[in-house]
Amino acid sequence: MNWALLAAAVAFALVNGANTGATMLAATITLDSIGHVLGLLLLGLGVALGPVLVGTGVAARFAGEMVPWEGEGSETGMLVAVLVSLLVVLGLTRLGIPTGLTLAFVGAIAGYGAASGTGIAWHSVLIVLGMMALAPVLGGLLAAFVIAVFARRLRSRHVSRSLGRVHALSFPALAVGYGASDGQKMLAISAVALGLTGQGASGSVAAPTLLLVALGVLFTLGSAAGYRSMSRRLGQGVLPVRPVYAVTSEVATAAALLGSAGVGTPVGVAQTLTGSLIGAGASQGLGRVRWPQVSTIVVAWVVTLPLTFGIAAAVAGGLRAGGAL
């Protein structure tokens, strides 16, 4: 057991909840079909159930397929990747440049693997990055289709009831999809810290029930802590807050997450959710989308990957030069 990495895993799960979980939960303020407390419980349950329902293939991708770590090198590499990704995400967020934790984490893993001498499976990294780039596009197209279906009922007096019913199904699906896909990075970090992974690129990741419950609880606590701040920022995003956009983006993002989990590849919730919102708004008129905010988010994505790659590579290079690797 690596106590330093385990402590970093706890911090990562809490920050992940405050960042990603709070973002997903903030959409529920526009609807009353799922309350705040129930939403939090569903997020934690989704994190715990996702790996049980679809397996731990995504966690294995994080833990050993992109960089075939072995022995203590996996613990050191994962610790560097966690700390670098947290540093970059928190730093950019403080500067008002929101970015995705998953994108930062992938960049840090790749940077460490490239400079540490461990080696890196570029085909696996490119598959992950390709899926992460494709997910917002597919989410946007799916959201445009879904909102076209809703548009027929937008003038109906029963539209709020219809949206509420869809939300009551789509939000749990979004929570489970997150646990099955993007959320498994938390499982990968914890599994490496606890020695629950196989060796090399073909290694598997064990997911004990107690560990999944613990991750669900930590993610829920982080989501609760970040909810109020994220709710205040919700109206300043790429679209004005409207129930139809919230529900549409949930449906599209849940579909993308569950689809990616099926092929064992993570996609970023932040990127997919943003793409879905843009697709939903643009389908009703380009003027509905706040394009300056969109450009800021895209710049953050473009900056995040090389920044985390470079910092993690520099750390790995320093450790290697000092004989620590």
Side-chain angles (χ1 to χ4, degrees):
M1 181 183 296
N2 187 306
W3 290 102
L5 181 56
L6 189 60
V10 171
F12 190 91
L14 290 170
V15 172
N16 200 28
N19 188 302
T20 305
T23 298
M24 293 190 290
L25 185 63
T28 63
I29 67 173
T30 64
L31 297 143
D32 58 6
S33 53
I34 293 180
H36 176 206
V37 175
L38 179 57
L40 285 169
L41 293 175
L42 288 172
L43 286 176
L45 191 61
V47 167
L49 283 181
V52 176
L53 296 176
V54 304
T56 59
V58 176
R61 180 85 69 173
F62 283 120
E65 290 186 17
M66 289 187 286
V67 175
W69 287 316
E70 293 187 5
E72 294 183 1
S74 63
E75 298 171 357
T76 303
M78 190 64 78
L79 180 60
V80 170
V82 170
L83 295 179
V84 168
S85 58
L86 287 176
L87 174 67
V88 169
V89 169
L90 293 175
L92 290 177
T93 301
R94 188 173 181 81
L95 293 174
I97 307 175
T99 188
L101 194 53
T102 302
L103 185 62
F105 189 50
V106 172
I109 288 175
Y112 184 90
S116 65
T118 304
I120 181 171
W122 285 110
H123 68 282
S124 184
V125 174
L126 292 176
I127 288 173
V128 171
L129 293 178
M131 283 293 294
M132 293 184 71
L134 186 61
V137 178
L138 294 178
L141 293 174
L142 181 57
F145 171 77
V146 173
I147 206 168
V149 174
F150 277 131
R152 300 176 183 177
R153 305 194 62 176
L154 287 180
R155 296 182 181 178
S156 168
R157 69 177 65 179
H158 302 298
V159 63
S160 297
R161 185 182 304 172
S162 298
L163 289 173
R165 289 172 178 171
V166 175
H167 177 61
L169 296 175
S170 63
F171 187 81
L174 177 63
V176 172
Y178 176 76
S181 177
D182 194 16
Q184 289 201 26
K185 58 183 179 290
M186 297 182 291
L187 174 60
I189 298 166
S190 302
V192 171
L194 296 171
L196 299 175
T197 62
Q199 297 295 318
S202 61
S204 58
V205 173
T209 301
L210 184 59
L211 175 58
L212 294 177
V213 171
L215 290 174
V217 170
L218 290 170
F219 187 76
T220 299
L221 292 175
S223 300
Y227 170 72
R228 182 171 298 180
S229 173
M230 198 61 68
S231 296
R232 288 196 298 265
R233 290 161 49 187
L234 186 63
Q236 304 170 1
V238 297
L239 285 176
V241 180
R242 288 187 60 189
V244 65
Y245 296 144
V247 172
T248 301
S249 63
E250 283 179 357
V251 172
T253 304
L257 289 170
L258 291 170
S260 70
V263 296
T265 302
V267 295
V269 167
Q271 289 85 355
T272 309
L273 193 58
T274 299
S276 300
L277 287 169
I278 293 171
S283 68
Q284 293 193 309
L286 295 178
R288 293 179 181 269
V289 180
R290 294 167 176 161
W291 295 108
Q293 281 85 342
V294 174
S295 63
T296 299
I297 292 172
V298 172
V299 168
W301 295 347
V302 172
V303 168
T304 297
L305 187 65
L307 187 58
T308 53
F309 184 98
I311 295 175
V315 173
L319 292 173
R320 192 176 183 184
L325 294 180

